[in-house]
Amino acid sequence: MILSPTDQDRIEGFWNYCLKHQYFNIGYPESADFDYSALYRFFKFSINNCGDWKDYSNYALNSFDFEKDVMQYFAEIFQIPFEESWGYVTNGGTEGNMFGCYLARELFPDATLYYSRDTHYSVVKIAKLLQMKACVIESLDNGEINVDDLINKIQSHQEKHPIIFANIGTTMTGAIDDIELIQKRLKQIGIQRRDYYIHADAALSGMILPFVDHPQAFSFADGVDSICVSGHKMIGSPIPCGIVVAKRQNVDRIAVDVDYISTRDQTISGSRNGHTVLLMWAAIRSQSFLQRKQRIQHCLKMAEYAVGRFQAAGVHAWRNLNSITVVFPCPSEHVWKKHYLATSGNMAHLITTAHHQDSQKIDSLIDDVIFNLQGESKRSACF
Ligand SMILES: *Cc1c(COP(=O)(O)O)cnc(C)c1O
């Protein structure tokens, strides 16, 4: 590839920009502690996983064998027998959410999609695209769905087949909807197990809960019908991607035959990224269960540390159980811009992803926030 000197300068500039910002993302859940350099040589090839990894494809340059391994791994950690499951490597959490909702809608075409106020914005797009009726449920203060409100709304709609979009780690506070309680309450109002669908949006926490000692309910064994996780969040990836796992019997309903590549397709995209499959494969193969557990424990400890530091300075910071998302009052704009914090209303958060080996970056943020908020309260005390 030959670039003009001006373009070379430009790309060099962008390289330096990326180097400078590679660990900028304390407000976002992207882990940056990955090294996929062993796979760079595959960027020579136009790898394409169009269709189903389980079938033969006439497009020879696919990484289906690796995708099968990836799906086997996720079936195991999400607690479903591999033969009863089907899923694939997606373009990210949003596509996984869409796939789950699509399966649910095919199962219950007239049903309403219920989700809490704290749900990721992708759900709104998905409901529109799939032309599903949608109903927003109130959240509790910690970001969890308010199950009383959910049950009331299901009852007042006389809903026969509720589709529940459950958060396994909300974007803003890392809250986990109580799917055990939801199912207990559905049973109490006479809705049988076969008459509802639960999709679990586990974009971030899907790669945390399988590795902690006391996880909240989140898996197929706990009653979900599909679950998705982002590959570029907790796992870490230079290219956005994700994994979705569903029950095979529900997937069979949506398959279409494609004579052009002589395979079946039940995914949302046509051509699919074969490189991210290799990235996810290398990620799961290069760390043992124990190593992954230790990495997550480190992140959780850092989150605990951050809460402790804030609280010691009188700042009201908190986090949900098994969450690496630390919530605190939103500081002034110059502080949240300086640290690239994600904010929502009067809340901000930091996320203790795995590349924060020591507390240096976290401390500098906490120092700024404490200084800023204490200044604010002194100023307001003057009036
Ligand atoms: C990030 C996120 C998503 C969307 O995932 P993408 O990989 O960005 O498409 C969905 N739900 C939650 C809770 C998220 O945090």
Side-chain angles (χ1 to χ4, degrees):
M1 190 174 289
I2 299 175
L3 291 175
S4 71
T6 338
D7 285 347
Q8 261 175 21
D9 280 353
R10 204 161 153 211
I11 211 76
E12 193 59 27
F14 184 57
W15 170 256
N16 289 324
Y17 174 87
C18 291
L19 279 180
K20 181 165 171 235
H21 289 88
Q22 64 181 323
Y23 304 121
F24 83 99
N25 52 350
I26 199 159
Y28 297 90
E30 257 80 346
S31 305
D33 60 333
F34 53 77
D35 175 11
Y36 293 105
S37 46
L39 299 173
Y40 290 173
R41 57 197 172 130
F42 288 96
F43 280 87
K44 263 171 89 70
F45 308 119
S46 181
I47 305 176
N48 193 324
N49 281 17
C50 185
D52 182 351
W53 51 265
K54 222 149 81 12
D55 289 345
Y56 166 82
S57 168
N58 217 27
Y59 187 86
L61 273 182
N62 66 64
S63 54
F64 280 176
D65 283 349
F66 296 90
E67 194 164 16
K68 181 183 177 190
D69 286 356
V70 172
M71 296 324 300
Q72 218 153 2
Y73 176 86
F74 282 94
E76 190 182 326
I77 67 167
F78 294 152
Q79 303 178 320
I80 181 171
F82 182 52
E83 319 73 59
E84 289 171 29
S85 75
W86 193 82
Y88 66 101
V89 176
T90 62
N91 286 312
T94 301
E95 184 182 343
N97 283 338
M98 174 128 140
F99 185 73
C101 293
Y102 178 34
L103 296 180
R105 195 205 63 186
E106 291 304 284
L107 197 59
F108 303 128
D110 300 318
T112 303
L113 183 65
Y114 295 86
Y115 56 87
S116 83
R117 211 169 268 299
D118 279 53
T119 304
H120 188 261
Y121 67 86
S122 63
V123 76
V124 179
K125 277 193 280 195
I126 291 166
K128 267 194 194 160
L129 283 165
L130 293 172
Q131 300 196 314
M132 295 170 85
K133 281 178 282 176
C135 177
V136 183
I137 306 299
E138 292 307 319
S139 301
L140 304 176
D141 287 344
N142 74 336
E144 252 178 80
I145 195 167
N146 180 331
V147 181
D148 287 335
D149 190 43
L150 172 69
I151 296 297
N152 283 342
K153 284 183 173 142
I154 287 175
Q155 279 189 305
S156 72
H157 294 166
Q158 299 183 325
E159 182 75 45
K160 291 195 180 61
H161 299 292
I163 300 172
I164 290 138
F165 188 103
N167 291 309
I168 303 300
T170 58
T171 308
M172 210 46 214
T173 70
I176 295 176
D177 292 347
D178 189 341
I179 57 176
E180 262 171 356
L181 181 63
I182 291 172
Q183 294 183 91
K184 196 171 122 202
R185 299 287 301 276
L186 286 173
K187 194 171 171 190
Q188 281 169 359
I189 60 169
I191 299 182
Q192 305 296 319
R193 180 61 193 94
R194 59 171 185 277
D195 290 327
Y196 61 85
Y197 189 102
I198 300 181
H199 171 74
D201 176 359
L204 175 63
S205 299
M207 271 317 268
I208 297 177
L209 294 186
F211 306 97
V212 299
D213 291 331
H214 302 288
Q216 294 93 323
F218 74 98
S219 71
F220 287 90
D222 300 314
V224 306
D225 294 287
S226 51
I227 182 168
C228 73
V229 61
S230 295
H232 51 99
K233 290 188 174 174
M234 198 64 212
I235 301 172
S237 160
I239 305 170
C241 61
I243 291 98
V244 65
V245 185
K247 293 180 176 169
R248 179 107 141 250
Q249 77 213 44
N250 292 332
V251 176
D252 286 342
R253 219 180 282 277
I254 60 160
V256 289
D257 287 315
V258 192
D259 53 4
Y260 174 64
I261 49 169
S262 83
T263 185
R264 285 193 326 163
D265 188 10
Q266 47 229 19
T267 65
I268 288 181
S269 332
S271 290
R272 291 195 300 115
N273 195 320
H275 291 94
T276 51
V277 167
L278 294 179
L279 300 178
M280 290 300 102
W281 182 84
I284 61 177
R285 291 289 168 142
S286 59
Q287 266 197 335
S288 68
F289 190 85
L290 187 66
Q291 284 171 317
R292 202 161 282 285
K293 203 173 160 140
Q294 284 166 343
R295 177 172 174 264
I296 284 158
Q297 266 162 4
H298 169 76
C299 298
L300 289 166
K301 260 196 213 126
M302 283 296 216
E304 195 53 47
Y305 165 82
V307 171
R309 271 216 57 197
F310 276 128
Q311 287 182 349
V315 172
H316 177 62
W318 57 278
R319 69 187 182 104
N320 277 299
L321 181 67
N322 293 325
S323 171
I324 61 170
T325 305
V326 175
V327 185
F328 50 89
C330 191
S332 308
E333 184 172 338
H334 74 273
V335 176
W336 64 256
K337 281 216 166 135
K338 175 181 169 193
H339 293 276
Y340 300 96
L341 296 182
T343 66
S344 169
N346 52 10
M347 246 194 280
H349 69 201
L350 68 89
I351 302 182
T352 52
T353 35
H355 52 272
H356 297 293
Q357 275 306 313
D358 54 41
S359 63
Q360 197 189 343
K361 239 186 127 90
I362 296 169
D363 281 329
S364 95
L365 162 67
I366 294 175
D367 291 341
D368 283 354
V369 172
I370 291 174
F371 181 76
N372 179 247
L373 292 177
Q374 286 178 340
E376 292 277 305
S377 61
K378 273 201 203 101
R379 272 192 296 283
S380 52
C382 298
F383 293 101

